[in-house]
Amino acid sequence: MQYDTVIIGAGAAGMMCAIHAAKPGGPRVLVIDHAKAAGEKIRISGGGRCNFTNLETAPDRFLSANPHFCKSALSRYTQQDFVALVQRHGIPYHEKTLGQLFCNTTAQDIIRMLLDEMDKAGAEMRLETRLVDYSKTDPGFALTLETDGQRVPVTCRNLVIACGGKSIPKMGATGFGYEIARHFDHTVTGIRAGLVPLTFTPDETEEFKALSGLSCEGALSCSGGPYGKARFREAVLFTHRGLSGPAVLQISSYWREGLPVTLALRPDIDLLAELKRQKTANGKRHLATILSDYLPKRLAQSFAEHAGLAERNIADIGDKVLAALATTIQAREIRPAGSEGYRTAEVTVGGVDTAGLNSKTMESKTVPGLYFIGEVVDVTGWLGGYNFQWAWSSGWAAGTAIIDR
Ligand code: FAD
């Protein structure tokens, strides 16, 4: 069987690429996926409502060894372009917070929209199909696809790798894209789980165990990793194993083993100034009660108990002790033991080295007709719809380059 383009992976990037690489009556485009359904990660994303883009998308919200690489695709297929597509399909959506756009009803609306667009463009799709063999030929590629134990030889001029990263292996994430990249002599940068909860050491697990399930406005910062300094101010959630919540997921992409992260609870107030004010105004109140003016009750109680001051009136506590307590609450250094890994990570940080790819087209600089798009590439977005926008933009960049090729 002969195709102009074969795309491996019917996820966000692969479907977007198919929509733009195909044309009714034009070159044949086939998308394959080993899963039973297309867009499985879209289906589960954003708690089932898909945070499909972010109005504040800008290159500085993406991590990559080359921070300039993502600029071209993001500027040529923007968040507004994707929003316009969503609007054309009459999909109801809303902005939740920080520019994050979510479907009102279900993420299935986005999957249906992409399938509908693929259908209109005349792209074909085969599910439960695997690529079992591949090689470069002079005009393109020779592939062997397997469906239901049946092997079929296929040739194509363009081969697009859109198999995503390694996060959530139980949903079929394999890291197959990295294998293909290495086969064609592309470098794959160090990959690791990103947007993932961090875990405590045994000592901290013991210290924080009473707080499991509590969440609080916080800020997490980290420096010394390959992407430099970062600070995120959003909710922090204490779990029975460590820390989670948006601020923690964000910082996890910047964090590396051995580095501390600094946790500030209620970063919106000057806690020491507040404690001193309370000392003057309400000297007879217990410290734990005063702290609960600023923190969830259990958290306040735990900090006061940990300092051995829970039952003390604030007037009896020296300013130095209050300052130390304020530092513990607002500049607490934690050395995470690790992360929860690919099992729960939303993304894979790192990937196919962008030095080997053309940033306008996503085509390999060394293997004509070979393209890498979406999460498999060393471009990782912040939490908040940025990763889907990268999938749409890079998929569009490859698709439009292919149809012009
Ligand atoms: P994927 O969407 O992962 O698609 C890859 C496809 O390739 C899959 O369909 C897979 O089955 C297929 N595949 C893999 N290996 C093979 C193989 N060997 N043979 C054939 N097919 C193969 N990002 C956001 O921007 N907003 C969100 O709300 C959001 N929520 C998320 C929630 C969760 C729980 C997770 C895990 C991720 C979330 N993300 C979110 C991240 C986002 O889902 C990914 O960044 C995005 O899906 C990447 O798109 P992709 O097309 O590159 O890869």
Side-chain angles (χ1 to χ4, degrees), residues 135-169:
S135 59
K136 182 85 184 86
T137 57
D138 200 12
F141 300 87
L143 314 176
T144 306
L145 305 182
E146 187 181 277
T147 316
D148 278 341
Q150 300 276 347
R151 292 191 170 197
V152 188
V154 166
T155 58
C156 58
R157 207 161 65 93
N158 305 297
L159 177 63
V160 183
I161 310 306
C163 348
K166 288 181 84 168
S167 49
I168 322 267

Side-chain angles (χ1 to χ4, degrees), residues 8-14 32-35 39-41 44-46 50-52 129-131 162-165 167-168 171-174 176 345-347 373-376 384-389 391:
I8 314 298
I32 69 151
D33 202 296
H34 65 178
E40 280 293 87
K41 275 208 184 143
I44 61 156
S45 67
C50 186
N51 176 194
F52 55 80
T129 297
R130 293 185 313 126
L131 174 63
C163 348
S167 49
I168 322 267
M171 291 196 70
T174 56
F176 185 52
E346 284 203 9
V347 286
I373 56 174
E375 194 178 321
V376 74
Y386 296 100
N387 285 296
F388 277 135
Q389 187 58 46

Side-chain angles (χ1 to χ4, degrees), residues 57-73:
T57 300
D60 65 355
R61 276 117 205 261
F62 294 83
L63 284 65
S64 171
N66 175 3
H68 304 292
F69 182 83
C70 62
K71 289 181 178 171
S72 172

